[in-house]
Amino acid sequence: MSRQTANPAMDVLLRTLDIERLETRLFRGESPQVGWQRVFGGQVIGQALVAATRTVEENRFVHSLHAYFVRPGDPSIPIIYDVENIRDGGSFATRRVVAIQHDRPIYFMTASFQDDEDGFEHQTAMPDVPPPEKLIGEAELKAQFMAAAPPHIRAYWERPRPIELRPVSLKHYLSSEKLDPHQNIWVRTTGPVPADRHLQAAVLAYLSDMTLLDTSLFAHGTSVLDRSLQVASLDHAMWFHRPPVLDDWLLYSQDSPSAFGARGMTRGAIFTRSGTLIASVAQEGLIRKKATA
């Protein structure tokens, strides 16, 4: 089910990922000016992946990345991506990327690329959940629940976004009940993405940073929208099992096996509507109560 209708927010994302090449392995990325106080982590992941990809042979595709967020990004100035060529082997290539602002690193990433090969195949099954058409959409969510929501929650949901979210359950957003730390969310781009496998991987990396830390808060009856919390991604790992497909809904299935020491750990699996596992994700993030006077 392909959607060819252009969307301004999706166009902004595609322009954001189309970073500028300054030197052979040096790139500059801009941030959309949408009023955020810090750069969205998924943007940095996606831009860093694009930078690394542009230094690798065209027929080698990312199969994994491992990253650390070390400082918050400043959306008011460009981000410089410095790519180091670690290795070009017979079938694999490895790159290390440092993202820099204010003369200091804000993000480190190592990514590995591989030629397509045949081999053993298996995957875990997709959870049995209602299809996205059976769930409440963002328009209905805003109409039914946002009028009485606090201003910062309304601002979050009403901002034009390149990725549409359709949670299987809304209970987390509507109560302070402590829930099992897992959730399933249908996600899709709000406009077409060019049929470029490298770019599609970058968009998938961008959306992979969404909602993970929220899952780690389910067991505590709160969410990332709670202003009494300090929440931030610390690290992010992603494995690309099969070529990404972005022309329909994807199911992002998540669970949080642990929270301890002001850190929450969440795992994710991304499936196509037909049940094909295309990526796995793991992230640990800071989840702490802010100090009170």
Side-chain angles (χ1 to χ4, degrees), residues 51-61 88 93-95 113:
T53 298
R54 290 182 177 175
T55 70
V56 176
E57 294 179 15
E58 183 69 22
N59 63 343
R60 289 189 174 175
F61 301 95
D88 285 312
T94 307
R95 297 293 186 269
F113 300 79

Side-chain angles (χ1 to χ4, degrees), residues 20-205:
E20 177 187 3
R21 189 172 216 141
L22 302 176
E23 299 287 349
T24 303
R25 293 192 294 271
L26 201 65
F27 301 83
R28 176 167 54 202
E30 302 285 347
S31 300
Q33 300 305 302
V34 292
W36 290 350
Q37 293 182 333
R38 60 178 62 186
V39 178
F40 170 52
Q43 174 193 315
V44 185
I45 298 170
Q47 288 182 330
L49 180 55
V50 170
T53 298
R54 290 182 177 175
T55 70
V56 176
E57 294 179 15
E58 183 69 22
N59 63 343
R60 289 189 174 175
F61 301 95
V62 64
H63 71 87
S64 69
L65 62 84
H66 300 262
Y68 282 93
F69 299 92
V70 294
R71 291 184 178 90
D74 180 352
S76 69
I77 64 170
I79 304 172
I80 301 301
Y81 295 93
D82 188 353
V83 183
E84 182 180 1
N85 185 338
I86 301 298
R87 177 178 182 266
D88 285 312
S91 57
F92 287 85
T94 307
R95 297 293 186 269
R96 181 174 179 267
V97 184
V98 182
I100 301 167
Q101 283 188 317
H102 302 292
D103 296 322
R104 299 188 301 177
I106 65 169
Y107 172 88
F108 295 91
M109 183 187 80
T110 301
S112 184
F113 300 79
Q114 182 189 13
D115 297 338
D116 283 337
E117 295 185 36
D118 294 328
F120 299 110
E121 290 191 27
H122 77 272
Q123 68 159 78
T124 189
M126 184 174 77
D128 183 12
V129 299
E133 293 79 11
K134 298 290 186 182
L135 304 173
I136 186 171
E138 285 196 358
E140 293 84 359
L141 178 67
K142 293 174 185 177
Q144 293 186 31
F145 302 112
M146 289 302 105
H152 69 287
I153 294 180
R154 288 203 310 272
Y156 173 81
W157 282 102
E158 292 174 355
R159 181 185 297 118
R161 292 181 291 175
I163 308 299
E164 181 178 358
L165 307 176
R166 195 164 291 188
V168 170
S169 173
L170 294 171
K171 192 173 184 179
H172 171 55
Y173 297 104
L174 304 174
S175 80
S176 58
E177 181 181 346
K178 295 181 178 181
L179 306 171
D180 290 337
H182 62 78
Q183 71 169 327
N184 292 293
I185 304 176
W186 289 101
V187 300
R188 69 173 175 180
T189 60
T190 57
V193 180
D196 176 331
R197 184 167 160 188
H198 297 295
L199 178 58
Q200 298 227 346
V203 174
L204 193 68

